[in-house]
């Protein structure tokens, strides 16, 4: 068929959409691109489970299955690279001609639409650029690509007998161990755990791979915080348990404080073997909180932290197209709490100082009536004691927090040392009376107005698209997610973009609260998979959390809410 199309106009490719039986697998050509420069065509290959040969233990539970799927996505990507070396001429055409690509994972092992393993089959979804010169079909190249290169890729990557089996089992077991470890945190009264021997630092700010072992200081728990667990595959593991409560990470500049906190904030996800953070786990409902000046804020109750703004501005339902450092940080906390965050993670590097502390001298100069902010230091204990919300705080610049901390961990040349007793003694010798704030009220709930979230506004068709990890184009609006640090994969951003439309189409009715809407979407994904979010099969979506979905909605600059 492809040979017959050779030399014809590109549109003739449309006719090859459909389903083809190969030996050992089925190829589905789901969507054919309109021209060689357009988004590439969408394809799938499906190998019957029996022929693929994976033992039942490889996906005996959901944790293992995600590990296996991530392994297979990487194996498929590797096989594409190898085939590229064998068929270099395929890429000589115009535009995306000859491209084969699968959405392979980064350091985090997330459920993704690129690979699905079920009891019946193993399926890989990928894209292909059907070859052309100008807009003329290169039918022989297409036949070589789909008839020779692709079967080799499938052969090398999707059959158990051809896999690097030792590596496959490492993926499966690493995923299962991480989930098992996270599940044990609660019963031990912990909010996070960092295993001894973990490698926390990354190669660079733009390279998330681990620093090579020769340059990295492996993590070693202080004896006083050491906890041990028995894991299903790795057996006994020991490391630093961070108890529920208020924990400070202190220490001199450049001693590894932020690196530790970053590892903890990513501990809500599992990491692939070799990452160095495979056994760094954090409770699922941990949210990184930071200042984000310029943020859009719609009707958020920030009164717990900020009241009496100039000109009588409302903080029970605070609106701003350009929030300050402190008001944006307050909004971030309020939103996280309403979604059920149980652990807040804050780094002084990205926090607003006036939101975090107000020292004695400043309290003497600027009295309570003139300062709208109740600093976080005056809320952190009641958050913990009355609302069960723990905090881990990196703070090298203020000892005021010694008064309110349960644990103080000092980073000293990348080694954590527990210094709680000394910090307590220092605080006791220099006791400071702080004015007690009013009790903390839970934030009021917010109902999004559907008309304010219309992605078809200004156009006739809904147009929503992710651009990189940090940007969603939503109708005519641009949502900036660059400060939402727990989005770790551009495929999550793509999925969130679709999830916003799904939420708007199905659940925003002017009655449901934002939290209820987010819950419905997450339940749909849980019950029916990421495919529930899109009208057709998409090959490059990854699992995301409720916090990040809400973060995107909350940053949509047209959003209006009713209290
Ligand atoms: P701080 O927040 O205390 O100022 P950072 O966490 O930013 O320090 O770390 C400073 C530098 O040290 C970074 O370049 C980081 O990659 C590196 N680093 C952090 N932890 C380690 C470690 N365990 N081994 C080697 N280098 C590290
Ligand atoms: Mg730092």
């Amino acid at each position: 068929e492809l040979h017959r199309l050779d030399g014809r106009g590109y549109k003739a490719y449309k006719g090859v959409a459909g389903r083809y039986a190969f030996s050992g697998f089925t190829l589905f050509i789901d969507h054919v691109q309109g021209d060689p420069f357009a988004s590439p065509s969408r394809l799938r290959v499906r190998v019957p489970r029996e022929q693929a040969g994976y033992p039942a233990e490889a996906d005996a539970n959901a944790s293992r299955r995600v590990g296996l799927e991530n392994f297979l996505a990487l194996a498929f990507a590797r096989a594409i690279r190898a085939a590229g070396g064998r068929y270099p001429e395929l890429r000589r055409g115009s535009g995306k001609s000859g491209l084969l690509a699968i959405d392979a994972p980064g350091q985090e092992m997330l459920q993704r639409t690129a690979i699905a393993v079920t009891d019946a089959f193993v399926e890989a979804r990928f894209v292909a650029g059907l070859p052309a010169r100008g807009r003329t079909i290169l039918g022989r190249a297409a036949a070589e690509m789909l008839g020779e290169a692709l079967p080799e890729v499938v052969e090398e990557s999707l059959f158990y007998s051809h896999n690097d089996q030792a590596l496959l089992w490492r993926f499966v077991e690493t995923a299962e161990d991480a989930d098992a470890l996270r599940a044990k945190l609660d019963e031990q009264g912990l909010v996070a755990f960092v295993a001894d021997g973990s490698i926390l630092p990354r190669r660079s700010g733009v390279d998330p791979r681990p620093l090579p072992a020769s340059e990295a200081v492996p993590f070693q728990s202080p004896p006083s915080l050491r906890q041990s667990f028995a894991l299903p595959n790795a057996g006994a593991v020991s490391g630093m348990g961070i108890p529920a409560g208020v924990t400070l990470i202190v220490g001199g500049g450049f001693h590894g404080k932020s690196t530790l906190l970053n590892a903890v904030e990513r501990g809500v996800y599992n990491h692939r073997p070799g990452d160095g953070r495979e056994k760094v786990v954090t409770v699922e409902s941990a949210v990184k909180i930071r200042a984000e000046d310029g943020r859009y804020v719609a009707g958020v109750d920030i009164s717990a932290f900020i009241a009496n703004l100039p000109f009588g501005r409302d903080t029970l339902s605070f609106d701003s197209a350009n929030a300050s450092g402190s008001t944006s940080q307050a909004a971030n906390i309020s939103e996280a709490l309403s979604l059920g965050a149980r652990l807040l993670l804050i780094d002084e590097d990205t926090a607003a100082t006036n939101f975090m502390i107000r020292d004695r001298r400043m309290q003497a100069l600027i009295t309570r009536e003139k300062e709208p902010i109740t600093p976080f230091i005056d809320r952190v204990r009641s958050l913990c004691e009355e609302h069960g919300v723990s905090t881990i705080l990196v703070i090298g610049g203020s000892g005021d927090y010694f008064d309110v901390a349960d644990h103080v961990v000092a980073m000293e040349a990348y080694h954590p040392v527990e210094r709680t007793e000394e910090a307590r003694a220092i605080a006791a010798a220099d006791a400071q009376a702080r004015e007690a704030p009013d009790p903390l009220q839970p934030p009021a709930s917010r109902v999004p107005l559907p008309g304010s979230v219309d992605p078809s506004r200004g156009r006739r068709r809904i147009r929503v698209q992710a651009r990189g990890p940090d940007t969603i184009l939503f109708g005519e609006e641009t949502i900036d997610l660059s400060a939402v640090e727990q989005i770790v994969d551009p495929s999550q951003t793509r999925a969130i973009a679709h999830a916003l439309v799904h939420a708007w189409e199905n659940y925003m009715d002017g009655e449901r609260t934002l939290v209820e809407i987010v819950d419905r979407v997450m339940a749909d994904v849980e019950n029916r998979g990421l495919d529930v979010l899109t009208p057709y099969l998409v090959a490059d979506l990854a699992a995301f959390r409720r916090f990040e979905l809400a973060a995107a909605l909350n940053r949509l600059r047209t959003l209006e809410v009713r209290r």
Side-chain angles (χ1 to χ4, degrees):
E1 173 71 3
L2 292 167
H3 284 167
R4 200 177 57 76
L5 296 179
D6 191 56
R8 295 183 52 186
Y10 205 84
K11 290 276 183 276
Y13 264 140
K14 288 280 180 197
V16 303
R19 169 185 179 138
Y20 300 88
F22 281 65
S23 85
F25 68 94
T26 306
L27 168 68
F28 298 82
I29 303 181
D30 289 324
H31 174 81
V32 177
Q33 66 207 97
D35 72 73
F37 300 92
S39 300
S41 304
R42 296 197 308 270
L43 287 72
R44 279 176 295 147
V45 290
R46 194 177 265 193
V47 181
R49 178 72 187 242
E50 225 161 89
Q51 266 154 288
Y54 294 98
E57 308 86 76
D59 60 338
N61 54 45
S63 309
R64 286 183 162 230
R65 183 172 317 115
V66 173
L68 174 61
E69 289 174 350
N70 275 268
F71 168 83
L72 292 174
L74 285 164
F76 200 90
R78 196 173 304 121
I80 286 174
R81 277 197 301 279
R86 290 192 299 269
Y87 298 91
E89 69 284 1
L90 281 182
R91 291 303 313 259
R92 301 242 168 88
S94 38
K96 303 202 169 76
S97 286
L99 170 81
L100 280 176
I102 190 165
D103 182 42
Q107 297 303 113
E108 283 79 19
M109 292 198 281
L110 307 170
Q111 193 188 357
R112 26 201 341 123
T113 54
I115 298 275
V117 177
T118 74
D119 292 344
F121 56 77
V122 174
E123 181 179 278
R125 293 184 197 169
F126 57 99
V127 295
L130 299 179
R133 178 168 299 121
R135 285 187 165 71
T136 305
I137 288 179
L138 292 173
R140 290 183 182 280
E144 189 170 52
M145 176 167 136
L146 298 181
E148 293 173 39
L150 179 64
E152 289 171 20
V153 168
V154 175
E155 185 86 359
E156 280 170 30
S157 60
L158 298 186
F159 290 85
Y160 183 59
S161 56
H162 297 179
N163 287 142
D164 177 343
Q165 292 176 6
L167 189 60
L168 181 153
W169 289 106
R170 275 181 72 203
F171 269 76
V172 166
E173 293 176 356
T174 298
E176 184 176 48
D177 280 351
D179 282 337
L181 193 52
R182 195 174 294 105
K184 287 173 198 274
L185 291 174
D186 250 354
E187 65 196 49
Q188 299 297 320
L190 303 178
V191 290
F193 175 83
V194 184
D196 292 331
S198 295
I199 301 295
L200 308 187
R202 303 292 100 190
R203 290 213 186 167
S204 78
V206 294
D207 185 345
R209 292 175 300 166
L211 205 61
S214 56
E215 296 164 46
V217 177
F219 189 86
Q220 207 61 45
S221 173
S224 54
L225 291 174
R226 185 163 281 139
Q227 298 268 347
S228 298
F229 293 98
L231 299 183
N233 305 295
V237 56
S238 68
M240 179 171 83
I242 301 182
V246 178
T247 302
L248 307 185
I249 302 171
V250 303
F254 224 65
H255 278 251
K257 302 184 298 297
S258 297
T259 302
L260 173 57
L261 192 76
N262 287 338
V264 169
E265 85 197 39
R266 294 203 167 202
V268 298
Y269 303 119
N270 294 345
H271 289 90
R272 67 198 250 184
D275 173 80
R277 300 168 296 185
E278 298 94 317
K279 298 189 189 73
V280 179
V281 295
T282 305
V283 289
E284 278 152 24
S285 57
V287 180
K288 178 71 177 286
I289 297 293
R290 54 171 288 172
E292 191 181 343
D293 55 326
R295 212 206 108 163
Y296 177 77
V297 177
V300 178
D301 179 359
I302 58 168
S303 60
F305 298 101
I306 300 178
N308 309 322
L309 285 180
F311 307 111
R313 228 161 129 180
D314 188 6
T315 59
L316 280 167
S317 178
F318 178 73
D319 296 306
S320 177
N322 187 11
S324 66
S326 55
T327 51
S328 61
Q329 193 167 353
N332 286 340
I333 292 182
S334 174
E335 289 165 355
L337 294 179
S338 66
L339 287 154
R342 284 192 40 227
L343 173 63
L344 304 179
L345 305 169
I346 304 179
D347 191 329
E348 62 182 350
D349 292 351
T350 50
T353 305
N354 60 339
F355 181 81
M356 299 306 293
I357 46 174
R358 195 147 57 93
D359 69 10
R360 214 170 357 169
R361 287 179 175 175
M362 200 53 84
Q363 289 178 47
L365 184 69
I366 308 291
T367 56
R368 194 75 179 282
E369 309 79 69
K370 290 196 189 131
E371 172 53 270
I373 300 176
T374 301
F376 189 71
I377 188 170
D378 288 331
R379 289 296 190 201
V380 68
R381 289 268 20 125
S382 55
L383 272 175
C384 161
E385 285 158 18
E386 289 150 35
H387 301 268
V389 178
S390 297
T391 299
I392 302 176
L393 191 63
V394 166
I395 190 140
S398 169
D400 283 9
Y401 270 90
F402 294 168
D403 290 331
V404 295
D406 296 305
H407 295 276
V408 179
V409 176
M411 293 303 288
E412 298 177 0
Y414 313 134
H415 284 295
V417 182
E418 185 176 7
R419 305 194 64 176
T420 307
E421 294 312 321
E422 292 152 271
R424 286 236 172 90
I426 291 167
D430 175 31
Q432 303 195 9
R434 301 196 66 90
E435 300 170 63
D438 309 331
L440 186 62
Q441 303 295 338
S445 44
R446 300 149 70 222
V447 175
L449 305 183
S452 71
V453 188
D454 185 349
S456 61
R457 188 165 22 201
R459 300 171 180 262
R460 272 174 306 142
R461 270 187 42 216
I462 292 179
R463 194 175 158 78
V464 175
Q465 197 189 328
R467 186 169 289 165
D470 293 338
T471 307
I472 291 175
L473 306 179
F474 190 83
E476 306 239 286
E477 295 296 316
T478 300
I479 303 175
D480 178 6
L481 298 170
S482 53
V484 182
E485 296 179 13
Q486 286 166 301
I487 292 180
V488 297
D489 188 312
S491 304
Q492 289 182 306
T493 313
R494 279 188 283 270
I496 289 170
H498 290 292
L500 289 174
V501 178
H502 181 79
W504 177 71
E505 286 181 332
N506 296 286
Y507 301 125
M508 268 181 225
D509 58 0
E511 299 295 329
R512 289 194 183 93
T513 65
L514 189 146
V515 174
E516 285 166 350
I517 292 164
V518 167
D519 282 342
R520 297 277 177 126
V521 174
M522 298 312 290
D524 283 347
V525 172
E526 174 82 34
N527 297 332
R528 294 190 277 154
L530 289 162
D531 287 337
V532 75
L533 301 175
T534 52
Y536 52 86
L537 297 179
V538 173
D540 55 5
L541 306 182
F544 55 89
R545 303 190 309 160
R546 57 212 306 279
F547 300 104
E548 284 71 36
L549 171 58
L553 182 54
N554 279 320
R555 283 162 182 73
L556 175 64
R557 284 179 177 270
T558 52
L559 176 68
E560 290 170 28
V561 303
R562 181 163 61 74
R563 279 186 75 214

